[in-house]
Amino acid sequence: MIDKILKFLKSTFIVFMVVTGAYFINLFFMKPASIDHFLGKELMLGLIDSPEALTYIGIFDQYNWITKHNSKLSISKEGDLIDDINDLENTLKTLYKYSDYNLSETQINTKQIAIFDLENNLKKLKDFPYHSYPLNQIGGIHLNLIEFMSDMHPIRNQSEAEDFIKRVNLFDEVYAGTLKDLEKQADIGIFPPEFVFDHVIEQLNQFIDYQHDEHPLYTQFMKKIEALNLEEDIQNNLEKEIKMAIDNSVTPGFVLLREFMSKNKINANIHDGIWSQPNGDEFYKLQIRSYTTTDYSPEEIHQMGLAEVDRISKRMREILTSLGYDKNKSVGELMNELNENPDFLYADTPDRKEIVVNDYTKMVNEAIEVMTDYFHTMPKSEVIVKAVPEYSEQTAAGGYYQSPALDGSRPGVFYANLYDIKQTPKYSMRTLTYHEATPGHHHQIAHSMENENLTLYRRFGYRTSAFSEGWALYAERLSLEAGLAEDPYDELGILQSEIFRAVRLVVDTGIHYKKWTREDAMEYMKDNTGMSDTEVRVEIERYIVWPGQALSYKVGMIKILELRENAMRELGNEFDIKDFHSAVLDHGIPPLFIVEEMVKNMISEKRPKPELELSIPDRIEEVYIPDSPDIPSE
């Protein structure tokens, strides 16, 4: 009993301390019955259970002396699934008790978002707890944990360096927990396709065979502690400890995972689509609902994709014809030739990556300057460009974004994959910049994180790629409209990016609903986009292990454009692009049905009000007013 009381007091104190700063007003000056207070509390308790999340957000590091989160990692254990289901059910029961009658309009929206999210998560945990692939070639835990430690864990002093080593010493426990989940998945007959086994085993072998001076955990750690200017004996001791942690925890953990993958490769799924897994069709429908925040059927999305591919191809054909390219060749063939054209490729020199990163940085800075005319406010957080780490560049996507820390200690990062020269044709660089940095992911995510008008839940409690990826794809189109891609080749790059996302609607539903093979999907993508063989393979393999996520981009973009066109039609000369962007961006990262409601509100507020003709009577008639009823005293 005493242990339980102490644990409760510690948890209560931790919650109090971590919300004291920026979130004190959000949580503790609200009415106790406030739905915002309830969701904020639930979010905070969830954060306390995730040391990685506390590190990722950044502002809680000042309380690390209490939470010790920077020396911990999440370790899967028996009973987690049941506990998570019970927690979700209890949270939903509480949310259902909040009457809309007593909520503000914003709180009603918050309730809708929370219920939508929690119901999807609950269904996934109850019906499909093992349908995802914990080990995969692009986002497996073996890669994610290395990246988290290399890029997220702060080393600003000796104490944080020691915490880094403590976390590294937990890798074997983390992977032992992962192994138990993999075994449960195997028991119900769920295995990924063979290519996943091949990639993951190769990645694990690479990590296992690394010498210390090649290992990203060692190299990143030493780079950071050398910048601290510690005493020589302290630095030498830290170096010794990180080597021991890699040898005694990380490598044995990787060996454990490799043994499972090697033993079970014989059981690899002979099919590529999720339809082939137990009750896979229903799982795919849930994935579509979660990722697109719509109730579109797989067939509707497939047809949407075919129509968009046709529309965008026609515009690309117009540009290619105007530039004098062969009319008899397909758009895909011509774009593939552009990919191979040395005029659009960087020379394969030792400093190529540095040159490309510098060029990307110039594009980011130019976009920031131009985009100030399209938004009421610009993000305060900086965004920088980095090359994708070498240990994951062979299987990573062409680019991705990592958000900044709330306390400003870490900027936003646009990662560009520079593994293959043909993966970075110069005409496609602008569109990737606008998607990942400004006005895309960085602008939207930093804007949300810096928005002090949002409650804790609306800022951090819910995320959807339908909104964030839809916005990033819309940002590419916006940049073209703003004159940031006046060269017709740059426009081709933007259109190639858009048709790439439209093709995703076709191939993702093709693989997971229409039972296409990996090769069928690769052929369709290459024929219609002109992307390199390396890019096509990486992308298609990504969709196979991540069903439904690739649909969110184009579905989200289509909805945002649809809402903008409607606002322009309704408001006419009163339409202001800055107001529209605020209506879309000022409410966190909500489902598309909430975005639609916010834009409708903006239209209603800005629509010119008709002048009312008032008829004033010559005299006022006497009005009978009854006596007021007696009001009993309280």
PDB file of all heavy atoms in Angstrom, residues 137-138 272 284 500-501 503-504 507-508 511-512 521 525 531 535-551 553:
ATOM      1  N   GLN A 137      11.989  -2.411 -43.385  1.00  0.00           N
ATOM      2  CA  GLN A 137      13.191  -1.796 -43.930  1.00  0.00           C
ATOM      3  C   GLN A 137      13.225  -0.274 -43.852  1.00  0.00           C
ATOM      4  O   GLN A 137      14.275   0.340 -44.050  1.00  0.00           O
ATOM      5  CB  GLN A 137      13.365  -2.231 -45.398  1.00  0.00           C
ATOM      6  CG  GLN A 137      12.436  -1.550 -46.401  1.00  0.00           C
ATOM      7  CD  GLN A 137      11.007  -2.089 -46.390  1.00  0.00           C
ATOM      8  OE1 GLN A 137      10.662  -2.966 -45.615  1.00  0.00           O
ATOM      9  NE2 GLN A 137      10.179  -1.561 -47.271  1.00  0.00           N
ATOM     10  N   ILE A 138      12.104   0.377 -43.547  1.00  0.00           N
ATOM     11  CA  ILE A 138      12.103   1.844 -43.532  1.00  0.00           C
ATOM     12  C   ILE A 138      11.802   2.433 -42.163  1.00  0.00           C
ATOM     13  O   ILE A 138      12.233   3.548 -41.863  1.00  0.00           O
ATOM     14  CB  ILE A 138      11.090   2.426 -44.549  1.00  0.00           C
ATOM     15  CG1 ILE A 138       9.672   1.969 -44.187  1.00  0.00           C
ATOM     16  CG2 ILE A 138      11.456   2.075 -45.967  1.00  0.00           C
ATOM     17  CD1 ILE A 138       8.605   2.812 -44.822  1.00  0.00           C
ATOM     18  N   ASP A 272       2.107  -9.754 -51.418  1.00  0.00           N
ATOM     19  CA  ASP A 272       2.596  -8.453 -50.960  1.00  0.00           C
ATOM     20  C   ASP A 272       1.526  -7.629 -50.250  1.00  0.00           C
ATOM     21  O   ASP A 272       1.854  -6.784 -49.418  1.00  0.00           O
ATOM     22  CB  ASP A 272       3.137  -7.645 -52.155  1.00  0.00           C
ATOM     23  CG  ASP A 272       4.347  -8.304 -52.793  1.00  0.00           C
ATOM     24  OD1 ASP A 272       5.328  -8.529 -52.071  1.00  0.00           O
ATOM     25  OD2 ASP A 272       4.302  -8.610 -54.004  1.00  0.00           O
ATOM     26  N   TYR A 284      -7.365  -3.010 -43.767  1.00  0.00           N
ATOM     27  CA  TYR A 284      -7.045  -1.973 -44.752  1.00  0.00           C
ATOM     28  C   TYR A 284      -8.085  -0.854 -44.722  1.00  0.00           C
ATOM     29  O   TYR A 284      -7.735   0.327 -44.816  1.00  0.00           O
ATOM     30  CB  TYR A 284      -6.956  -2.595 -46.145  1.00  0.00           C
ATOM     31  CG  TYR A 284      -6.430  -1.642 -47.194  1.00  0.00           C
ATOM     32  CD1 TYR A 284      -5.271  -0.908 -46.979  1.00  0.00           C
ATOM     33  CD2 TYR A 284      -7.094  -1.498 -48.417  1.00  0.00           C
ATOM     34  CE1 TYR A 284      -4.781  -0.042 -47.949  1.00  0.00           C
ATOM     35  CE2 TYR A 284      -6.612  -0.634 -49.391  1.00  0.00           C
ATOM     36  CZ  TYR A 284      -5.447   0.093 -49.153  1.00  0.00           C
ATOM     37  OH  TYR A 284      -4.967   0.955 -50.117  1.00  0.00           O
ATOM     38  N   PHE A 500       3.236  11.584 -58.745  1.00  0.00           N
ATOM     39  CA  PHE A 500       3.774  10.541 -57.882  1.00  0.00           C
ATOM     40  C   PHE A 500       2.787  10.228 -56.761  1.00  0.00           C
ATOM     41  O   PHE A 500       2.494   9.061 -56.467  1.00  0.00           O
ATOM     42  CB  PHE A 500       5.123  11.038 -57.354  1.00  0.00           C
ATOM     43  CG  PHE A 500       5.674  10.324 -56.164  1.00  0.00           C
ATOM     44  CD1 PHE A 500       5.663   8.949 -56.066  1.00  0.00           C
ATOM     45  CD2 PHE A 500       6.276  11.055 -55.138  1.00  0.00           C
ATOM     46  CE1 PHE A 500       6.195   8.312 -54.964  1.00  0.00           C
ATOM     47  CE2 PHE A 500       6.816  10.425 -54.038  1.00  0.00           C
ATOM     48  CZ  PHE A 500       6.781   9.049 -53.941  1.00  0.00           C
ATOM     49  N   ARG A 501       2.199  11.294 -56.144  1.00  0.00           N
ATOM     50  CA  ARG A 501       1.221  11.081 -55.072  1.00  0.00           C
ATOM     51  C   ARG A 501      -0.094  10.558 -55.617  1.00  0.00           C
ATOM     52  O   ARG A 501      -0.800   9.807 -54.938  1.00  0.00           O
ATOM     53  CB  ARG A 501       1.008  12.385 -54.305  1.00  0.00           C
ATOM     54  CG  ARG A 501       1.968  12.690 -53.171  1.00  0.00           C
ATOM     55  CD  ARG A 501       3.401  12.320 -53.431  1.00  0.00           C
ATOM     56  NE  ARG A 501       4.307  12.658 -52.342  1.00  0.00           N
ATOM     57  CZ  ARG A 501       5.174  13.660 -52.402  1.00  0.00           C
ATOM     58  NH1 ARG A 501       5.236  14.433 -53.480  1.00  0.00           N
ATOM     59  NH2 ARG A 501       5.987  13.878 -51.389  1.00  0.00           N
ATOM     60  N   VAL A 503      -0.310   8.593 -58.257  1.00  0.00           N
ATOM     61  CA  VAL A 503      -0.002   7.189 -58.542  1.00  0.00           C
ATOM     62  C   VAL A 503      -0.094   6.360 -57.255  1.00  0.00           C
ATOM     63  O   VAL A 503      -0.522   5.201 -57.282  1.00  0.00           O
ATOM     64  CB  VAL A 503       1.399   7.068 -59.178  1.00  0.00           C
ATOM     65  CG1 VAL A 503       1.914   5.636 -59.107  1.00  0.00           C
ATOM     66  CG2 VAL A 503       1.355   7.538 -60.629  1.00  0.00           C
ATOM     67  N   ARG A 504       0.264   6.970 -56.134  1.00  0.00           N
ATOM     68  CA  ARG A 504       0.167   6.253 -54.866  1.00  0.00           C
ATOM     69  C   ARG A 504      -1.261   5.775 -54.591  1.00  0.00           C
ATOM     70  O   ARG A 504      -1.460   4.692 -54.031  1.00  0.00           O
ATOM     71  CB  ARG A 504       0.608   7.167 -53.716  1.00  0.00           C
ATOM     72  CG  ARG A 504       2.098   7.322 -53.566  1.00  0.00           C
ATOM     73  CD  ARG A 504       2.411   8.302 -52.463  1.00  0.00           C
ATOM     74  NE  ARG A 504       3.797   8.203 -52.035  1.00  0.00           N
ATOM     75  CZ  ARG A 504       4.325   8.919 -51.051  1.00  0.00           C
ATOM     76  NH1 ARG A 504       3.575   9.793 -50.393  1.00  0.00           N
ATOM     77  NH2 ARG A 504       5.591   8.779 -50.713  1.00  0.00           N
ATOM     78  N   VAL A 507      -1.519   2.609 -56.775  1.00  0.00           N
ATOM     79  CA  VAL A 507      -0.719   1.427 -56.439  1.00  0.00           C
ATOM     80  C   VAL A 507      -0.989   0.924 -55.021  1.00  0.00           C
ATOM     81  O   VAL A 507      -0.941  -0.291 -54.773  1.00  0.00           O
ATOM     82  CB  VAL A 507       0.790   1.695 -56.629  1.00  0.00           C
ATOM     83  CG1 VAL A 507       1.098   1.975 -58.090  1.00  0.00           C
ATOM     84  CG2 VAL A 507       1.287   2.831 -55.752  1.00  0.00           C
ATOM     85  N   ASP A 508      -1.266   1.823 -54.064  1.00  0.00           N
ATOM     86  CA  ASP A 508      -1.540   1.361 -52.703  1.00  0.00           C
ATOM     87  C   ASP A 508      -2.819   0.531 -52.673  1.00  0.00           C
ATOM     88  O   ASP A 508      -2.849  -0.565 -52.085  1.00  0.00           O
ATOM     89  CB  ASP A 508      -1.659   2.561 -51.762  1.00  0.00           C
ATOM     90  CG  ASP A 508      -1.551   2.154 -50.295  1.00  0.00           C
ATOM     91  OD1 ASP A 508      -2.564   1.735 -49.713  1.00  0.00           O
ATOM     92  OD2 ASP A 508      -0.449   2.267 -49.736  1.00  0.00           O
ATOM     93  N   ILE A 511      -2.180  -2.778 -54.598  1.00  0.00           N
ATOM     94  CA  ILE A 511      -1.481  -3.820 -53.836  1.00  0.00           C
ATOM     95  C   ILE A 511      -2.377  -4.424 -52.764  1.00  0.00           C
ATOM     96  O   ILE A 511      -2.492  -5.653 -52.632  1.00  0.00           O
ATOM     97  CB  ILE A 511      -0.206  -3.234 -53.181  1.00  0.00           C
ATOM     98  CG1 ILE A 511       0.811  -2.843 -54.237  1.00  0.00           C
ATOM     99  CG2 ILE A 511       0.397  -4.232 -52.190  1.00  0.00           C
ATOM    100  CD1 ILE A 511       1.929  -1.963 -53.702  1.00  0.00           C
ATOM    101  N   HIS A 512      -3.017  -3.562 -51.989  1.00  0.00           N
ATOM    102  CA  HIS A 512      -3.700  -4.027 -50.778  1.00  0.00           C
ATOM    103  C   HIS A 512      -5.180  -4.361 -50.977  1.00  0.00           C
ATOM    104  O   HIS A 512      -5.788  -4.962 -50.091  1.00  0.00           O
ATOM    105  CB  HIS A 512      -3.554  -2.989 -49.668  1.00  0.00           C
ATOM    106  CG  HIS A 512      -2.134  -2.766 -49.252  1.00  0.00           C
ATOM    107  ND1 HIS A 512      -1.362  -3.756 -48.690  1.00  0.00           N
ATOM    108  CD2 HIS A 512      -1.324  -1.663 -49.348  1.00  0.00           C
ATOM    109  CE1 HIS A 512      -0.149  -3.280 -48.437  1.00  0.00           C
ATOM    110  NE2 HIS A 512      -0.102  -2.021 -48.817  1.00  0.00           N
ATOM    111  N   ALA A 521       2.988  -3.118 -59.308  1.00  0.00           N
ATOM    112  CA  ALA A 521       2.956  -1.745 -58.802  1.00  0.00           C
ATOM    113  C   ALA A 521       4.183  -0.962 -59.251  1.00  0.00           C
ATOM    114  O   ALA A 521       4.082   0.221 -59.607  1.00  0.00           O
ATOM    115  CB  ALA A 521       2.868  -1.766 -57.271  1.00  0.00           C
ATOM    116  N   MET A 525       4.112   2.506 -61.527  1.00  0.00           N
ATOM    117  CA  MET A 525       4.715   3.743 -61.032  1.00  0.00           C
ATOM    118  C   MET A 525       5.787   4.248 -61.989  1.00  0.00           C
ATOM    119  O   MET A 525       5.851   5.455 -62.295  1.00  0.00           O
ATOM    120  CB  MET A 525       5.290   3.535 -59.638  1.00  0.00           C
ATOM    121  CG  MET A 525       6.046   4.747 -59.104  1.00  0.00           C
ATOM    122  SD  MET A 525       6.426   4.658 -57.333  1.00  0.00           S
ATOM    123  CE  MET A 525       4.877   5.301 -56.657  1.00  0.00           C
ATOM    124  N   MET A 531      10.193   7.986 -62.573  1.00  0.00           N
ATOM    125  CA  MET A 531      11.147   7.933 -61.454  1.00  0.00           C
ATOM    126  C   MET A 531      12.190   6.857 -61.715  1.00  0.00           C
ATOM    127  O   MET A 531      11.970   5.927 -62.498  1.00  0.00           O
ATOM    128  CB  MET A 531      10.397   7.646 -60.150  1.00  0.00           C
ATOM    129  CG  MET A 531       9.475   8.766 -59.714  1.00  0.00           C
ATOM    130  SD  MET A 531       8.279   8.255 -58.450  1.00  0.00           S
ATOM    131  CE  MET A 531       9.377   7.775 -57.114  1.00  0.00           C
ATOM    132  N   GLU A 535      14.288   4.676 -56.823  1.00  0.00           N
ATOM    133  CA  GLU A 535      13.183   5.367 -56.155  1.00  0.00           C
ATOM    134  C   GLU A 535      11.918   4.524 -56.173  1.00  0.00           C
ATOM    135  O   GLU A 535      11.211   4.418 -55.156  1.00  0.00           O
ATOM    136  CB  GLU A 535      12.914   6.702 -56.842  1.00  0.00           C
ATOM    137  CG  GLU A 535      13.961   7.764 -56.627  1.00  0.00           C
ATOM    138  CD  GLU A 535      13.630   9.026 -57.396  1.00  0.00           C
ATOM    139  OE1 GLU A 535      13.564   8.964 -58.634  1.00  0.00           O
ATOM    140  OE2 GLU A 535      13.426  10.063 -56.758  1.00  0.00           O
ATOM    141  N   VAL A 536      11.611   3.953 -57.327  1.00  0.00           N
ATOM    142  CA  VAL A 536      10.376   3.176 -57.466  1.00  0.00           C
ATOM    143  C   VAL A 536      10.391   1.973 -56.531  1.00  0.00           C
ATOM    144  O   VAL A 536       9.408   1.699 -55.839  1.00  0.00           O
ATOM    145  CB  VAL A 536      10.186   2.732 -58.932  1.00  0.00           C
ATOM    146  CG1 VAL A 536       9.087   1.678 -59.033  1.00  0.00           C
ATOM    147  CG2 VAL A 536       9.844   3.934 -59.814  1.00  0.00           C
ATOM    148  N   ARG A 537      11.503   1.270 -56.494  1.00  0.00           N
ATOM    149  CA  ARG A 537      11.576   0.089 -55.621  1.00  0.00           C
ATOM    150  C   ARG A 537      11.383   0.479 -54.162  1.00  0.00           C
ATOM    151  O   ARG A 537      10.602  -0.151 -53.439  1.00  0.00           O
ATOM    152  CB  ARG A 537      12.926  -0.619 -55.805  1.00  0.00           C
ATOM    153  CG  ARG A 537      13.091  -1.815 -54.876  1.00  0.00           C
ATOM    154  CD  ARG A 537      14.494  -2.408 -54.946  1.00  0.00           C
ATOM    155  NE  ARG A 537      15.530  -1.452 -54.595  1.00  0.00           N
ATOM    156  CZ  ARG A 537      15.820  -1.080 -53.348  1.00  0.00           C
ATOM    157  NH1 ARG A 537      15.143  -1.583 -52.326  1.00  0.00           N
ATOM    158  NH2 ARG A 537      16.795  -0.224 -53.120  1.00  0.00           N
ATOM    159  N   VAL A 538      12.106   1.515 -53.718  1.00  0.00           N
ATOM    160  CA  VAL A 538      12.016   1.941 -52.323  1.00  0.00           C
ATOM    161  C   VAL A 538      10.588   2.346 -51.977  1.00  0.00           C
ATOM    162  O   VAL A 538      10.059   1.996 -50.908  1.00  0.00           O
ATOM    163  CB  VAL A 538      12.993   3.101 -52.052  1.00  0.00           C
ATOM    164  CG1 VAL A 538      12.712   3.742 -50.690  1.00  0.00           C
ATOM    165  CG2 VAL A 538      14.436   2.616 -52.108  1.00  0.00           C
ATOM    166  N   GLU A 539       9.936   3.090 -52.873  1.00  0.00           N
ATOM    167  CA  GLU A 539       8.593   3.579 -52.586  1.00  0.00           C
ATOM    168  C   GLU A 539       7.574   2.445 -52.516  1.00  0.00           C
ATOM    169  O   GLU A 539       6.776   2.374 -51.579  1.00  0.00           O
ATOM    170  CB  GLU A 539       8.173   4.605 -53.646  1.00  0.00           C
ATOM    171  CG  GLU A 539       8.897   5.930 -53.550  1.00  0.00           C
ATOM    172  CD  GLU A 539       8.603   6.663 -52.253  1.00  0.00           C
ATOM    173  OE1 GLU A 539       7.493   6.501 -51.716  1.00  0.00           O
ATOM    174  OE2 GLU A 539       9.477   7.393 -51.770  1.00  0.00           O
ATOM    175  N   ILE A 540       7.583   1.577 -53.491  1.00  0.00           N
ATOM    176  CA  ILE A 540       6.605   0.484 -53.512  1.00  0.00           C
ATOM    177  C   ILE A 540       6.786  -0.421 -52.302  1.00  0.00           C
ATOM    178  O   ILE A 540       5.807  -0.850 -51.665  1.00  0.00           O
ATOM    179  CB  ILE A 540       6.708  -0.327 -54.820  1.00  0.00           C
ATOM    180  CG1 ILE A 540       6.305   0.530 -56.018  1.00  0.00           C
ATOM    181  CG2 ILE A 540       5.834  -1.584 -54.745  1.00  0.00           C
ATOM    182  CD1 ILE A 540       4.888   1.082 -55.958  1.00  0.00           C
ATOM    183  N   GLU A 541       8.027  -0.691 -51.946  1.00  0.00           N
ATOM    184  CA  GLU A 541       8.271  -1.525 -50.763  1.00  0.00           C
ATOM    185  C   GLU A 541       7.818  -0.818 -49.492  1.00  0.00           C
ATOM    186  O   GLU A 541       7.404  -1.463 -48.530  1.00  0.00           O
ATOM    187  CB  GLU A 541       9.754  -1.895 -50.693  1.00  0.00           C
ATOM    188  CG  GLU A 541      10.164  -2.861 -51.792  1.00  0.00           C
ATOM    189  CD  GLU A 541      11.641  -3.207 -51.790  1.00  0.00           C
ATOM    190  OE1 GLU A 541      12.404  -2.571 -51.035  1.00  0.00           O
ATOM    191  OE2 GLU A 541      12.041  -4.117 -52.549  1.00  0.00           O
ATOM    192  N   ARG A 542       7.891   0.493 -49.488  1.00  0.00           N
ATOM    193  CA  ARG A 542       7.385   1.252 -48.344  1.00  0.00           C
ATOM    194  C   ARG A 542       5.877   1.077 -48.212  1.00  0.00           C
ATOM    195  O   ARG A 542       5.361   0.858 -47.116  1.00  0.00           O
ATOM    196  CB  ARG A 542       7.735   2.730 -48.528  1.00  0.00           C
ATOM    197  CG  ARG A 542       6.999   3.664 -47.585  1.00  0.00           C
ATOM    198  CD  ARG A 542       7.232   5.116 -47.962  1.00  0.00           C
ATOM    199  NE  ARG A 542       6.331   6.009 -47.240  1.00  0.00           N
ATOM    200  CZ  ARG A 542       6.313   7.321 -47.393  1.00  0.00           C
ATOM    201  NH1 ARG A 542       7.143   7.906 -48.231  1.00  0.00           N
ATOM    202  NH2 ARG A 542       5.462   8.061 -46.719  1.00  0.00           N
ATOM    203  N   TYR A 543       5.139   1.182 -49.325  1.00  0.00           N
ATOM    204  CA  TYR A 543       3.673   1.071 -49.258  1.00  0.00           C
ATOM    205  C   TYR A 543       3.243  -0.312 -48.799  1.00  0.00           C
ATOM    206  O   TYR A 543       2.214  -0.467 -48.132  1.00  0.00           O
ATOM    207  CB  TYR A 543       3.037   1.365 -50.623  1.00  0.00           C
ATOM    208  CG  TYR A 543       3.528   2.615 -51.301  1.00  0.00           C
ATOM    209  CD1 TYR A 543       3.558   2.709 -52.687  1.00  0.00           C
ATOM    210  CD2 TYR A 543       3.980   3.703 -50.567  1.00  0.00           C
ATOM    211  CE1 TYR A 543       4.020   3.844 -53.325  1.00  0.00           C
ATOM    212  CE2 TYR A 543       4.441   4.844 -51.187  1.00  0.00           C
ATOM    213  CZ  TYR A 543       4.475   4.911 -52.565  1.00  0.00           C
ATOM    214  OH  TYR A 543       4.933   6.028 -53.198  1.00  0.00           O
ATOM    215  N   ILE A 544       4.041  -1.305 -49.151  1.00  0.00           N
ATOM    216  CA  ILE A 544       3.694  -2.681 -48.782  1.00  0.00           C
ATOM    217  C   ILE A 544       3.735  -2.862 -47.266  1.00  0.00           C
ATOM    218  O   ILE A 544       2.864  -3.518 -46.687  1.00  0.00           O
ATOM    219  CB  ILE A 544       4.627  -3.677 -49.498  1.00  0.00           C
ATOM    220  CG1 ILE A 544       4.314  -3.690 -51.002  1.00  0.00           C
ATOM    221  CG2 ILE A 544       4.473  -5.087 -48.906  1.00  0.00           C
ATOM    222  CD1 ILE A 544       5.297  -4.487 -51.841  1.00  0.00           C
ATOM    223  N   VAL A 545       4.717  -2.267 -46.605  1.00  0.00           N
ATOM    224  CA  VAL A 545       4.842  -2.454 -45.146  1.00  0.00           C
ATOM    225  C   VAL A 545       4.084  -1.399 -44.359  1.00  0.00           C
ATOM    226  O   VAL A 545       4.016  -1.471 -43.126  1.00  0.00           O
ATOM    227  CB  VAL A 545       6.329  -2.459 -44.707  1.00  0.00           C
ATOM    228  CG1 VAL A 545       7.071  -3.587 -45.399  1.00  0.00           C
ATOM    229  CG2 VAL A 545       7.008  -1.116 -44.966  1.00  0.00           C
ATOM    230  N   TRP A 546       3.476  -0.422 -45.055  1.00  0.00           N
ATOM    231  CA  TRP A 546       2.783   0.679 -44.383  1.00  0.00           C
ATOM    232  C   TRP A 546       1.452   0.928 -45.078  1.00  0.00           C
ATOM    233  O   TRP A 546       1.231   1.990 -45.650  1.00  0.00           O
ATOM    234  CB  TRP A 546       3.664   1.922 -44.436  1.00  0.00           C
ATOM    235  CG  TRP A 546       3.422   2.930 -43.366  1.00  0.00           C
ATOM    236  CD1 TRP A 546       2.473   2.919 -42.399  1.00  0.00           C
ATOM    237  CD2 TRP A 546       4.178   4.135 -43.165  1.00  0.00           C
ATOM    238  NE1 TRP A 546       2.573   4.038 -41.604  1.00  0.00           N
ATOM    239  CE2 TRP A 546       3.612   4.796 -42.054  1.00  0.00           C
ATOM    240  CE3 TRP A 546       5.262   4.720 -43.821  1.00  0.00           C
ATOM    241  CZ2 TRP A 546       4.112   6.019 -41.593  1.00  0.00           C
ATOM    242  CZ3 TRP A 546       5.756   5.924 -43.352  1.00  0.00           C
ATOM    243  CH2 TRP A 546       5.181   6.567 -42.250  1.00  0.00           C
ATOM    244  N   PRO A 547       0.525  -0.029 -45.036  1.00  0.00           N
ATOM    245  CA  PRO A 547      -0.716   0.072 -45.819  1.00  0.00           C
ATOM    246  C   PRO A 547      -1.527   1.321 -45.491  1.00  0.00           C
ATOM    247  O   PRO A 547      -1.773   1.641 -44.334  1.00  0.00           O
ATOM    248  CB  PRO A 547      -1.492  -1.188 -45.407  1.00  0.00           C
ATOM    249  CG  PRO A 547      -0.467  -2.122 -44.885  1.00  0.00           C
ATOM    250  CD  PRO A 547       0.583  -1.273 -44.249  1.00  0.00           C
ATOM    251  N   GLY A 548      -1.932   2.042 -46.525  1.00  0.00           N
ATOM    252  CA  GLY A 548      -2.850   3.158 -46.369  1.00  0.00           C
ATOM    253  C   GLY A 548      -2.205   4.510 -46.154  1.00  0.00           C
ATOM    254  O   GLY A 548      -2.800   5.541 -46.480  1.00  0.00           O
ATOM    255  N   GLN A 549      -0.998   4.557 -45.584  1.00  0.00           N
ATOM    256  CA  GLN A 549      -0.404   5.853 -45.260  1.00  0.00           C
ATOM    257  C   GLN A 549      -0.166   6.682 -46.515  1.00  0.00           C
ATOM    258  O   GLN A 549      -0.346   7.906 -46.504  1.00  0.00           O
ATOM    259  CB  GLN A 549       0.906   5.648 -44.490  1.00  0.00           C
ATOM    260  CG  GLN A 549       1.461   6.919 -43.854  1.00  0.00           C
ATOM    261  CD  GLN A 549       2.352   7.732 -44.784  1.00  0.00           C
ATOM    262  OE1 GLN A 549       2.832   7.231 -45.795  1.00  0.00           O
ATOM    263  NE2 GLN A 549       2.588   8.979 -44.425  1.00  0.00           N
ATOM    264  N   ALA A 550       0.224   6.048 -47.595  1.00  0.00           N
ATOM    265  CA  ALA A 550       0.539   6.781 -48.826  1.00  0.00           C
ATOM    266  C   ALA A 550      -0.693   7.429 -49.459  1.00  0.00           C
ATOM    267  O   ALA A 550      -0.563   8.290 -50.329  1.00  0.00           O
ATOM    268  CB  ALA A 550       1.196   5.842 -49.835  1.00  0.00           C
ATOM    269  N   LEU A 551      -1.883   7.031 -49.026  1.00  0.00           N
ATOM    270  CA  LEU A 551      -3.111   7.612 -49.572  1.00  0.00           C
ATOM    271  C   LEU A 551      -3.373   9.007 -49.026  1.00  0.00           C
ATOM    272  O   LEU A 551      -4.085   9.806 -49.640  1.00  0.00           O
ATOM    273  CB  LEU A 551      -4.307   6.720 -49.236  1.00  0.00           C
ATOM    274  CG  LEU A 551      -4.207   5.256 -49.639  1.00  0.00           C
ATOM    275  CD1 LEU A 551      -5.432   4.491 -49.136  1.00  0.00           C
ATOM    276  CD2 LEU A 551      -4.081   5.102 -51.150  1.00  0.00           C
ATOM    277  N   TYR A 553      -1.651  11.737 -48.604  1.00  0.00           N
ATOM    278  CA  TYR A 553      -1.108  12.920 -49.257  1.00  0.00           C
ATOM    279  C   TYR A 553      -2.103  13.540 -50.236  1.00  0.00           C
ATOM    280  O   TYR A 553      -2.498  14.697 -50.107  1.00  0.00           O
ATOM    281  CB  TYR A 553       0.175  12.570 -50.022  1.00  0.00           C
ATOM    282  CG  TYR A 553       1.305  12.048 -49.170  1.00  0.00           C
ATOM    283  CD1 TYR A 553       1.236  10.794 -48.557  1.00  0.00           C
ATOM    284  CD2 TYR A 553       2.470  12.781 -48.992  1.00  0.00           C
ATOM    285  CE1 TYR A 553       2.275  10.308 -47.794  1.00  0.00           C
ATOM    286  CE2 TYR A 553       3.522  12.308 -48.237  1.00  0.00           C
ATOM    287  CZ  TYR A 553       3.418  11.060 -47.636  1.00  0.00           C
ATOM    288  OH  TYR A 553       4.451  10.584 -46.872  1.00  0.00           O
TER     289      TYR A 553
END
